[in-house]
């Protein structure tokens, strides 16, 4: 059963770069790593997904080392509106051969003015 | 992408009653899942909703308490049966178009309060 470990909370100031690292020691060779963002009273929202090395989109970057036992979500120049809970997910295979996603505790990011 | 609509968005229920939550996706999806989220906590997977067959439940969740239907590729229901105050929570429907990878889309959730 793949599991993830993240810091419980982080504080940052507006305009700073925030890096959140997730450990996933038991990741399978064909698992993707996915990050989600959740605001209060809303469902989680997809941020970024990657398999290895580096992935970048318009809102974040994801760094994955060669051993894939961890990954780091990087948020450039955060603003107050980035205050949310961030979840790192890896797939978990079902007996049917498909995948489900188990959520870890998440990291509660608070951006300060 | 996929847009997920859940009904009801919130409800207040009496102990011992049952409530069915509906989840409608605007496009056909391979996978559908039901999660529960208690206040201030992470999401807990209840079950995988399988089209045309019985759902696959996670440890700690049983069909008698949380019966799930998935008659087609765009619709699923979750029933919370014989509710108690401990069932007060947010229930979220999610869907993914791919079997293995891809974005997991979420509804806005159904907030249940059991008195």
């Amino acid at each position: 059963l793949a599991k993830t470990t993240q810091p419980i909370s982080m504080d940052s100031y507006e305009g700073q770069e925030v890096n959140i690292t997730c450990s996933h020691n038991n990741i399978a060779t064909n698992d993707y790593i996915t990050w989600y963002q959740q605001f209060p009273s809303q469902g989680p929202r997809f941020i970024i997904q990657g398999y290895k090395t580096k992935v970048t989109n318009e809102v974040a970057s994801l760094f994955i080392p060669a051993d894939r036992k961890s990954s780091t979500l990087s948020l450039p120049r955060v603003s107050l509106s980035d205050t949310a809970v961030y979840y790192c997910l890896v797939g978990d295979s079902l007996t049917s051969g498909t995948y489900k996603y188990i959520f870890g505790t998440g990291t509660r990011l608070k951006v300060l003015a | 992408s996929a847009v997920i609509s859940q009904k009801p968005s919130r409800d207040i229920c009496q102990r011992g009653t049952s409530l069915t939550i509906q989840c409608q996706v605007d496009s056909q999806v391979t996978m559908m899942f039901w999660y529960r989220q208690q206040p201030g906590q992470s999401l807990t997977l209840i079950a995988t909703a399988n089209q045309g067959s019985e759902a696959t439940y996670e440890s700690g969740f049983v069909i008698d308490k949380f019966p799930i239907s998935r008659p087609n590729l765009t619709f699923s229901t979750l029933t919370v049966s014989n509710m108690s105050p401990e069932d007060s929570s947010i229930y979220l429907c999610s869907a993914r178009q791919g079997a293995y990878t891809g974005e997991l889309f979420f509804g806005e959730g159904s907030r249940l309060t059991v008195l």
Side-chain angles (χ1 to χ4, degrees), chain A residues 38-75:
Chain A
Q38 187 178 28
F39 298 112
S41 302
Q42 295 185 22
R45 187 176 68 175
F46 175 89
I47 301 174
I48 197 166
Q49 182 178 71
Y51 182 76
K52 62 180 179 180
T53 62
K54 178 183 175 182
V55 179
T56 298
N57 62 21
E58 63 274 11
V59 298
S61 295
L62 179 60
F63 299 91
I64 305 169
D67 65 7
R68 301 198 337 119
K69 292 186 176 182
S70 66
S71 59
T72 299
L73 174 72
S74 180
L75 305 172

Side-chain angles (χ1 to χ4, degrees), chain A residues 20-36:
Chain A
I20 306 174
T21 297
C22 175
S23 297
H24 27 77
N25 291 319
N26 297 321
I27 190 170
T29 54
N30 54 352
D31 276 345
Y32 280 75
I33 299 151
T34 313
W35 285 79
Y36 282 81

Side-chain angles (χ1 to χ4, degrees), chain A residues 4-12 18-23 35-40 47 71-73 75 82-89 103-111, chain B residues 37 40-43:
Chain A
T4 60
T5 304
Q6 304 173 233
I8 296 295
S9 64
M10 296 178 69
D11 288 346
S12 181
V18 171
N19 296 309
I20 306 174
T21 297
C22 175
S23 297
W35 285 79
Y36 282 81
Q37 175 191 56
Q38 187 178 28
F39 298 112
I47 301 174
S71 59
T72 299
L73 174 72
L75 305 172
D82 293 316
T83 294
V85 179
Y86 292 82
Y87 294 98
C88 164
L89 278 68
F103 281 75
T105 57
T107 298
R108 194 172 297 271
L109 173 66
K110 184 175 182 180
V111 180
Chain B
Q37 187 173 33
Q41 303 296 311
S42 181
L43 286 79

